[in-house]
Amino acid sequence: MPYLKTGDLSVYYEELGTGRPVLFLHSAYSRGILAFCGQIQPFYSAGWHCYYPDLRGHGRTRCDDLTWDSARIAEDMVAFLDGLNIDKANLIGYSTGGGIAYYMAARHPERVQSLIAIGNGGFVDAAGAKDYTPEALLARGETDFIGKMKALHADAHQSDWKEYMRQEVLDWCSHPALTQEEWKRVTMPMLLIAGEQDMFASSENLEKIRKCCPQAQIMIAKGCGHRPHFPHERVRDVNEWMLGFLGKNGG
């Protein structure tokens, strides 16, 4: 699979399809195709040109510098688009990836055709973050989760899984943190999707986003938590919402 060199980063990514570009931005603790496993075939079949990068600090993407945050990754993704000669892309961001999409849309609006955020409430919410420090995980004996993080992100964290976990917690406690002026620059079509039971993307916060961005549509997946687009939740409904939105707004 391909790598793209941009600045200090070697971005690993999967590329499928032809047509108008969709950039998928994955969640924390995950990788590109893992976070969007339920979207690969449907979006490919629907005629979209899909890119699934592993973000800085994650998966097979490589860098000597192990520090990162969502705002920095947003700049990486703009450079990634540059490297692929893509002037403007549709963004689909899940959880942390939704925050990255907000930063891209606010700071580089000319590069974003449309924006779909899944499970991101748009504002800092650090609840539960400290449970994921390496010290907390070791104290609870979370050996299975630690093993997954070691395996999933070995290339990115260079076998320093503890530093990887610390960076995740720091980002969780700090982002997204857009100013009111930045939110006002997010004027492209937006679709905000959340599970009915998602504590990280409450209806209250989604409405706060819509006050800043009145063009935003909100869709709530009944009976779902933080992963409404996953195969075991309401993947067919969520894919239908997203593909319908992109059919109207995707360029």
Side-chain angles (χ1 to χ4, degrees):
M1 289 298 115
Y3 280 85
L4 189 147
K5 178 69 174 175
T6 174
D8 64 337
L9 202 61
S10 291
V11 181
Y12 174 87
Y13 68 102
E14 304 276 356
E15 178 182 0
L16 294 168
T18 59
R20 292 164 290 176
V22 180
L23 178 62
F24 290 83
L25 303 166
H26 67 72
S27 54
Y29 309 109
S30 193
R31 286 164 56 166
I33 60 171
L34 181 61
F36 295 104
C37 58
Q39 286 64 59
I40 293 173
Q41 184 62 44
F43 278 73
Y44 173 80
S45 297
W48 294 94
H49 198 157
C50 304
Y51 297 88
Y52 303 90
D54 288 353
L55 306 177
R56 180 185 290 269
H58 298 78
R60 296 183 181 179
T61 288
R62 300 168 182 164
C63 186
D64 291 336
D65 182 1
L66 299 185
T67 61
W68 55 270
D69 62 26
S70 291
R72 186 177 185 186
I73 291 173
E75 299 304 316
D76 290 339
M77 289 296 99
V78 172
F80 178 73
L81 295 178
D82 288 342
L84 295 170
N85 297 313
I86 297 173
D87 293 330
K88 184 175 275 195
N90 299 284
L91 307 183
I92 300 181
Y94 164 49
S95 194
T96 295
I100 294 164
Y102 297 146
Y103 279 120
M104 291 178 70
R107 298 178 179 181
H108 302 276
E110 74 284 357
R111 308 302 299 274
V112 180
Q113 175 67 34
S114 71
L115 189 161
I116 299 174
I118 306 170
N120 190 295
F123 303 93
V124 175
D125 183 352
K130 292 185 179 179
D131 291 337
Y132 285 84
T133 64
E135 295 77 16
L137 292 168
L138 288 168
R140 294 198 309 274
E142 298 276 2
T143 54
D144 183 59
F145 183 78
I146 291 170
K148 288 179 179 178
M149 296 303 99
K150 287 180 177 179
L152 279 176
H153 309 295
D155 286 356
H157 63 53
Q158 303 171 35
S159 299
D160 191 349
W161 72 271
K162 292 182 179 179
E163 183 59 27
Y164 164 76
M165 296 303 302
R166 292 188 186 102
Q167 293 299 313
E168 290 283 12
V169 169
L170 286 170
D171 189 59
W172 187 343
C173 293
S174 306
H175 298 279
L178 278 68
T179 67
Q180 288 297 310
E181 288 304 311
E182 285 178 321
W183 278 117
K184 290 177 182 178
R185 292 199 289 271
V186 182
T187 58
M188 67 288 299
M190 295 176 67
L191 175 60
L192 309 177
I193 298 172
E196 182 181 28
Q197 301 160 6
D198 187 354
M199 68 179 70
F200 299 112
S202 67
S203 295
E204 179 183 1
N205 276 353
L206 297 183
E207 289 295 343
K208 284 172 64 178
I209 295 175
R210 187 152 61 179
K211 284 184 179 180
C212 300
C213 309
Q215 80 281 11
Q217 303 173 47
I218 297 174
M219 301 294 286
I220 303 298
K222 299 293 185 183
C224 293
H226 190 51
R227 306 173 179 88
H229 65 303
F230 273 29
H232 61 281
E233 295 211 25
R234 290 187 59 187
V235 63
R236 290 186 179 181
D237 291 335
V238 173
N239 284 345
E240 183 177 335
W241 298 342
M242 292 194 292
L243 288 169
F245 171 83
L246 287 172
K248 295 178 181 177
N249 302 293

